[in-house]
Amino acid sequence: MAESLRAEMVRMTQEKPDYQALSRAGRIIREGGLVAFPTETVYGLGGNALDREASRKIYAAKGRPSDNPLIVHICEMEDLYRIAAYVPPMAVKLGKRFWPGPLTMIFQKRDLVPDSTTGGQDTVAVRLPDHLLARILIREGGGFIAAPSANTSGRPSPTLAEHVAEDLGDAVDMIIDGGPVGIGLESTIVDFTEEVPKVLRPGYISLEMLRETIGEVEMDPGLIPGEGKPKAPGMKYRHYAPKADLTIVEGETEDVIATICGFAGKAREKGEQVGIMACDETAGRYPLGIVRSMGSRMREETIAAHLYQVLREFDHLGVREIYSEAFDTPRMGEAIMNRLLKAAGHRVIQAKRQEENER
Ligand code: TXA
Ligand code: MG
């Protein structure tokens, strides 16, 4: 059989699901194939979570190390109890408040989930996504879909179906194109397998929102560079790496703009152009370079939603250097900066202070 059939791309919206196509997609999953689909966070690369061969196919398609476990997606809260050995009351509380939604929770697994899905771990990550097309597909596909982000390992997660086609068009059987995703950053991951629940990956649901609901929650200390290993195997890789060298410039806004303009000027002297990641409030202040606004600082969710898309765009444009403003916004700043810092390989510089009279 031909190995690399180009994927069938099917367009639909949550307002108007194509039930026939979704039922075909469900059959593909039940028969061991792969379907990429939209969720509210990023596009996922789905296969039957209970089928060890399907999980192997997922790892192969992404070029992902086989010790990096997959998240199992469900469409009904009750299904959690079929794959998790023990669900503590605090997790039930979080589930009631944030599911369906951008939250993944980790529990001791039941034998139903094969080791190949969990990368050899005896724990399983579970998520109930807030996207109608995803939930219909999960139901049609048998109830348990393993789905990592639908990008090639090491590239930014896909926020459009076109990104999926670019990375995995030859490796999947079908791509469900539901348009741009809503959030644009992967789900918040909370681990319930130790005494105190821990955030293994920051996301749209912030530490404060979790603490409001269940009290004690900690950040995985491994998320801070130099503080040991992150507990989620996927967080140790230099994900989201753009082809260009990305540098984050921190400091007062005016200093940041002047410093980045300085780099853009130097690049122009060498006949080169830098990429600049800015926001609506500052984009007009950069006369040189290729400037992209990710969104408004007044609406931080717009910045989160466009981060990966802008990184991919700069890959296509072939710039060699990218400079980004820092985005420590109040609620999603933790998640945005976690991704941006990884994309930058933690290269952060302090903007040079401008003399008052230069301002
Ligand atoms: O928003 C999302 O979560 C998206 C959409 C498609 O649902 N999925 C996603 O999956 O981001 P992926 O595979 O790209 O990231 C899963 C992360 C990895 O860092 C992995 O190491 C961690 O979750 N993970 C999964 N199962 C785990 C487990 N049992 N223990 C520790 N970490 C786990
Ligand atoms: Mg991923």
Side-chain angles (χ1 to χ4, degrees), residues 48-98:
N48 182 356
L50 308 185
D51 172 352
R52 66 190 72 236
E53 280 313 313
S55 333
R56 288 205 187 100
K57 268 195 201 168
I58 293 176
Y59 286 104
K62 275 181 70 88
R64 176 175 178 131
S66 61
D67 68 342
N68 189 2
L70 307 174
I71 296 174
V72 179
H73 294 66
I74 57 175
C75 59
E76 310 274 356
M77 180 92 174
E78 298 85 80
D79 288 340
L80 172 60
Y81 300 93
R82 292 186 50 202
I83 51 176
Y86 172 63
V87 180
M90 279 198 279
V92 175
K93 263 195 177 169
L94 282 192
K96 284 197 174 135
R97 165 131 189 236
F98 295 113

Side-chain angles (χ1 to χ4, degrees), residues 62 64 148-149 151 157 186 201 239-240:
K62 275 181 70 88
R64 176 175 178 131
S149 49
N151 52 285
S157 293
E186 305 87 343
R201 179 173 72 184
H239 263 196
Y240 329 118

Side-chain angles (χ1 to χ4, degrees), residues 8 21-35 46-48 57 140-141 172-174:
E8 178 193 1
L22 286 166
S23 135
R24 254 189 309 129
R27 189 169 347 112
I28 292 173
I29 300 262
R30 279 183 276 113
E31 289 173 353
L34 302 183
V35 176
N48 182 356
K57 268 195 201 168
E140 296 287 326
V172 298
D173 301 294
M174 191 194 275

